[in-house]
Amino acid sequence: MSEVFSPRSGRQLAMPAWAGARPMRATPHWLVARVLLVSFGTAISLFVLGDQRNVLVILVAALALPTIIVLRLPLERDFGSSAAAIAYLIVVELAHGGTTNVTSLGYTGMFALSYIAFAGTLESGFVNRERLIELLRQLVFAFAAVSVVQMLCSLAGLPILNGMLSKGAWSYNSLAVEPSHAARALSSTMLSYLILARRGAPPLSFSELWQRETWVVVAFSVSQALTGSSLAVALLPLTIVLALRLRWIVGCALLLIMTWPILQSVELESVHRLVGFLTALPTMDIMALVQADQSGAVRVMPLILFLQSASLDDPSVWFGGGYQIVTQYVQGRLVGVGEDAAMAGFIPGYIMIAGIIGTTLFLRAYLLRFTNLQTLPLILLWGPVLGNSAWNSQIFWYSLLLLRAVHHFAKASPTDSFAFVRGGPR
């Protein structure tokens, strides 16, 4: 017998699907969860403005608070820690910059409310694990389908469907604003899918994974390959490996070390840029990183500059210096970027703004308290891949939504293969 969560009486025994039970009927809670995941995980050119703002995501985020109120979503597990993290950010910014960055604070607040709304749908008991697995599977196939169509359009000399920051010529953005965003969204989606699809069982070997998920792995691989991104070259094997048993992870790491000299001689541009970038990374030499991969260098430059300039004796390192301090650290020092540019991803940007204390509160609210054996692969992926994304970006919060979902269903019994109950949730 499998189980289903009910908001009134907790877990209830449910008829398994093979015993003739009818699927759980759709509810407003599942609709909200699905809309949040799809809108945050994809980008449609119709809704994306010239400055890359996704109007659909902004609209969905703006409706999060009314949704919480109307559906009376349970907030006990997530509201307190989330409110503490965002309140600290607001206080720090008001203390240092006044109301000059109220728009950025507003975006952060809306995204946090979207996260709370999504978590509330999970805690309500009306979000079905099987439907979530199927949705993530469909997203992987959708990315692959759009990538292939974009390639065909490019080869035929036609306008690229959903083309935004696609470079064409084997570098396509698929259902994201740009190819590197697609690589991140795909990896988070694929790894979450593979973890949830185990339904609490131990990780698989590569042969077992290939046998069970052949077409999903193929679709994921095609999508990542067609981004033409050096990041995707790293994420394609890394995502699969993180879903496998520990001995496979160790074996692949040893194989990578042994084949590194061979990889350095590969002439494929994306592989060449990745190998050059990873080789230069330990040196912390900004010019060497730029020469290897300009795109990758821009993402790590703020961290290098911060580590070179910050001091633990500086109170702002501990308590935060507000948005204005980002300018002091990076403006005019980002090689290959305009002199007026002052940008940094979550690491180290959020540390600059909210300090070590504020960053700890944020990580505690959205990451660290959800650490377990099933979510650990996602967290290991999140650190180097999404940790340097802008915290007011949809892909950043999409990854946190997925982590919350994987943690939620990790609490269920390993035998909870189907969340079906005769007649729907009670």
Side-chain angles (χ1 to χ4, degrees), residues 180-195 220 224 231-243 249 347 367 371-389 395-396 398-400 402-403 406:
S180 64
H181 288 186
R184 289 176 171 84
L186 272 164
S187 290
S188 297
T189 304
M190 181 67 173
L191 186 54
S192 299
Y193 167 77
L194 292 177
I195 294 172
F220 171 71
Q224 290 288 39
L231 176 63
V233 173
L235 289 180
L236 199 163
L238 178 62
T239 303
I240 300 298
V241 167
L242 285 175
I249 298 176
I347 300 174
L367 201 75
T371 303
N372 59 34
L373 289 177
Q374 293 201 49
T375 60
L376 184 59
L378 274 173
I379 293 173
L380 292 176
L381 181 72
W382 188 92
V385 176
L386 292 151
N388 65 358
S389 299
I395 186 60
F396 180 87
Y398 177 65
S399 65
L400 296 179
L402 291 177
L403 175 65
V406 171

Side-chain angles (χ1 to χ4, degrees), residues 167 171 179-180 183 224 227-237 269-275 277-278 292-297:
K167 300 174 184 177
S171 181
S180 64
Q224 290 288 39
T227 65
S229 166
S230 57
L231 176 63
V233 173
L235 289 180
L236 199 163
E269 182 186 358
S270 55
V271 175
H272 181 73
R273 285 190 286 119
L274 174 64
V275 172
F277 179 79
L278 292 179
D293 185 357
Q294 170 69 33
S295 177

Side-chain angles (χ1 to χ4, degrees), residues 159-170:
I160 296 179
L161 176 70
N162 203 49
M164 284 173 272
L165 296 182
S166 172
K167 300 174 184 177
W170 308 104

Side-chain angles (χ1 to χ4, degrees), residues 53 99-111 323 392:
R53 283 186 299 171
T99 59
T100 56
N101 289 290
V102 65
T103 301
S104 295
L105 291 174
Y107 279 136
T108 305
M110 287 195 303
F111 288 147
Y323 281 86
N392 277 346

Side-chain angles (χ1 to χ4, degrees), residues 44-124:
I44 307 299
S45 57
L46 178 65
F47 302 107
V48 178
L49 304 180
D51 59 1
Q52 299 182 38
R53 283 186 299 171
N54 191 326
V55 177
L56 179 60
V57 171
I58 295 173
L59 176 61
V60 170
L63 293 174
L65 181 58
T67 300
I68 292 171
I69 296 172
V70 170
L71 294 183
R72 293 183 291 179
L73 298 175
L75 309 178
E76 293 82 2
R77 291 206 62 200
D78 297 271
F79 182 79
S81 56
S82 182
I86 303 305
Y88 186 90
L89 174 65
I90 293 173
V91 170
V92 169
E93 178 54 27
L94 291 177
H96 290 277
T99 59
T100 56
N101 289 290
V102 65
T103 301
S104 295
L105 291 174
Y107 279 136
T108 305
M110 287 195 303
F111 288 147
L113 284 170
S114 300
Y115 176 92
I116 291 171
F118 180 76
T121 64
L122 295 174
E123 294 298 323
S124 72

Side-chain angles (χ1 to χ4, degrees), residues 288-289 302 319 365:
L289 290 168
F319 301 102

Side-chain angles (χ1 to χ4, degrees), residues 1 8 12 20 88 162 176 179 202 215-216 232-233 321 339 397 407:
M1 300 290 281
R8 294 184 181 176
Q12 297 177 356
Y88 186 90
N162 203 49
W215 289 112
V216 183
V233 173
E339 289 290 321
W397 287 93
H407 178 269

